[in-house]
Amino acid sequence: MFARWLPAAINTRPSEWSRAAIGMALGTMFSVWLCGKVFGIDVALHLIGPLGASAVLLFAVSSGALAQPWSILGGYLCAGVVSLLVAHVLGRTLGSACLAAGMALILMCWLRCLHPPAGALALLMVVADPATIALEWKALGPVMLSASTMLLSALAYNNLTRIRYPKRPAEPAPMMPAPDSQAITAADLKLALADMEAFYDITPEDLEQLIHASELHARRRSIGDVFSSKG
């Protein structure tokens, strides 16, 4: 039971950690700076928590479904609209903040723009600082400006550092010699993910590519073992 608490191995190199860390720092600083210039530093600093969390996704795990452009823009928009609506109707209390976060989650799932930092944003927009409260519905301005700035920073930095972003749709996997009735396809993986009834930050097409790549490495290893045994 306790073994489940141990962290999984990270498959990226330390150089990638450094690349992502620099991008996160620059992206967050630029987003907060620009938002502060337009709406005031108090409003900008109030959003720095969700922005930092978004930066981790956009720069460190940019290939994930949660880090794609529609996820951050749609997620921040859902959280902003829902939280301001709840605050207007129910007031700015801890209970209404938690309700706003839950409602934002449902809306993000429905619109296919799930973005975890938007949950924190929904909480902060209800229990906001005086400068943000004074903006009323105009508070959507700094929310979407900061999200757009973070996205543009990720687009520029990731591609300049040779990380393709946003992620392109997965290409069809190459034909394998195994019989069609036995080969695992993206459709099979989609059904398997549905059976598990949980959210996974990976597409069936990505899983299909991973499986076929693993099969290729297994065949190469098998061929190498045969030649080494003959030698």
Side-chain angles (χ1 to χ4, degrees), residues 49-158:
L51 286 174
S54 294
V56 173
L57 291 174
L58 269 65
F59 292 97
V61 284
S62 58
S63 63
L66 303 179
Q68 299 312 301
W70 173 235
S71 292
I72 181 171
L73 293 180
Y76 272 54
L77 181 61
C78 290
V81 171
V82 168
S83 60
L84 290 173
L85 180 61
V86 169
H88 179 73
V89 174
L90 301 178
R92 298 180 180 274
T93 65
L94 176 60
S96 59
C98 296
L99 176 63
M103 293 174 61
L105 173 61
I106 294 174
L107 185 59
M108 285 188 286
C109 290
W110 182 55
L111 295 177
R112 295 185 293 179
C113 56
L114 187 61
H115 189 66
L121 176 67
L123 293 167
L124 287 177
M125 291 296 289
V126 175
V127 192
D129 66 310
T132 304
I133 294 176
L135 291 174
E136 297 183 348
W137 284 98
K138 293 180 181 179
L140 277 177
V143 168
M144 298 313 298
L145 175 62
S146 57
S148 301
T149 305
M150 183 65 73
L151 175 58
L152 291 175
S153 300
L155 285 168
Y157 182 83
N158 284 336

